[in-house]
Amino acid sequence: MRLVVDLTRCQGYGQCAFAAPEVFRMPGDEALLYEPNPGEEQREKVLRAAAACPVRAIVLDYQAQPADTRAREAAAGAERIVVVGASLAGLRAADTLRREGFTGSLTLIGEEPYEPYDRIPLSKHVLTGWVPAQHTALPRSDALEAHWLLGQPAVGLDRHTKRVLLADGSQVAFDRLLIATGARARPWPNADEAALDGVHTVRGRDDAAALRQRLAAGPGHVLVIGAGFIGSEVASDCRGLGLPVTVVDRGPAPLAGALGAAVGRVAAELQRDAGVDLRCGVSVHALEGDASGRLRRARLSDGSTLDVDVAVAALGGKRNVEWLAGSGLAAGHWGVACDAGCRAFDVNGLVTDDIFVAGDVARFPHPVYDYQFMAMEHWGNAVDQAEIAAHNMISAGPDLWPHVALPVFWSTQFGVEIKSIGVPTYADEVVITQGSTAQRRFVAVYGRQGRITAAVSFDHGMWLEFYGRLIEQAAPFPPRLRTVDQPATRQPVPAEVRSEPSAHATVVLTGHRPSQRRAVLVHGG
């Protein structure tokens, strides 16, 4: 059987760990780990665990429900739907299409040869050896009835003939298309150094399997380059395995790019208390190998040298848009631009009615955050956006849905469950409203220009839904509410959010008359 836990909903009650202890584990107060593909002998226990979950966060393989027949009429002009990207967003969109009544041809195209799998366990369960990489397949409907083209990367899009071009030279025609190609790990920038035996990234199933094999061999020292969520989780896994690990990040604190340095310093304490050699404000200048091409050392910007056997480049993601070059869509390193209904923009900024975008590759405007365009590489966003894109693909104009859900994400590291709702980087101040940073159990609320924009919890996740409602209501910051476990003083401090350059596009304009004016996207070398 297959299962996935929606950790955006999970509040750490732990009923599942009592009902099925071989499948669910809680190494900390709220941190939850689970086996995504347990054996059939665990089925009854897992079913009891799912029934016992107070917030219904456990999702299992499921049977198809009666379809919404209204969608069949709305989808009359869409007999062929193609989904490029056979991962979480692509699978969720396909399931939604069938659930809402689409009965036409449905094709899923995936670059990897594997059926859709969950990436969340890769940097948590797989690296520690609890779950094999091949046991991460996602639950899905028993009546999907889709044509799968796995191991067949898309290499081009012809919008005029409505065809997706594949690497083997074949073409797939569509009436409506969903782009859900996600992102890949950003590699170490020096190709020769990246090719050294011992240098890894973590994004896909093969990445995790290879790194797990290396960690299981007991390396003498592991270097993690980058202290974002993936880098921090890898460091946590290493310490859990008893391996010496150094984390290097050019920023002021771990997770500072996502949570700001004020909260990031609490994450730094977590790492150092766990035995991580954390070095912030430092970068790696070079990775060096021996004559056989094996990684041996790293040279840092402060002049020091580390002897290492394994290096993990956790440098963020790079959106998979190269196959869209020349398609006329507004696609670039920022992702694929779309409206709040997931409809792709062309290069002129016009909405396309037959091409949609969802997941990590999508860049969309959010009304709560001044309609700024943002891209979210989070599990919850991929799920929500895929369902909305699928609904809109087979719905008439008045029935279109906007994607306005607040972003939610989580990370399990060093026995602590870190959760967030809203956009912490869209803030200038932060205040602790519940708990204590000294005890590593608290809620931090973020604000900008007098209103609440986000909240982050360390082992206090049950309160995030409450703060989400405050964000939706544009509640004032700092909050003046009485809360449980309220600290003696609630004084806002600077959030210390790092200012990143915004994504930009370079275009040239052609034509003279209004009917002739067009934009042409210019890609950098």
Side-chain angles (χ1 to χ4, degrees), residues 109 149 152-156 163-173:
I109 300 170
L149 294 175
Q152 293 278 4
V155 297
R163 293 179 180 273
V164 176
L165 314 180
L166 303 184
D168 65 0
S170 62
Q171 302 180 6
V172 182

Side-chain angles (χ1 to χ4, degrees), residues 36-107:
N37 296 165
E40 281 298 314
E41 72 278 3
Q42 297 293 330
R43 178 174 290 274
E44 289 303 318
K45 292 182 179 180
V46 171
L47 292 175
R48 285 199 296 270
C53 177
V55 294
R56 300 294 185 263
I58 301 173
V59 180
L60 309 174
D61 283 321
Y62 55 92
Q63 294 182 343
Q65 300 298 313
D68 183 349
T69 56
R70 294 174 302 173
R72 297 176 183 172
E73 298 177 5
E79 295 299 323
R80 302 167 299 178
I81 291 182
V82 173
V83 178
V84 181
S87 192
L88 175 63
L91 177 61
R92 185 59 66 100
D95 277 335
T96 302
L97 286 166
R98 291 304 192 206
R99 187 174 66 247
E100 295 211 3
F102 177 68
T103 58
S105 169
L106 178 58
T107 302

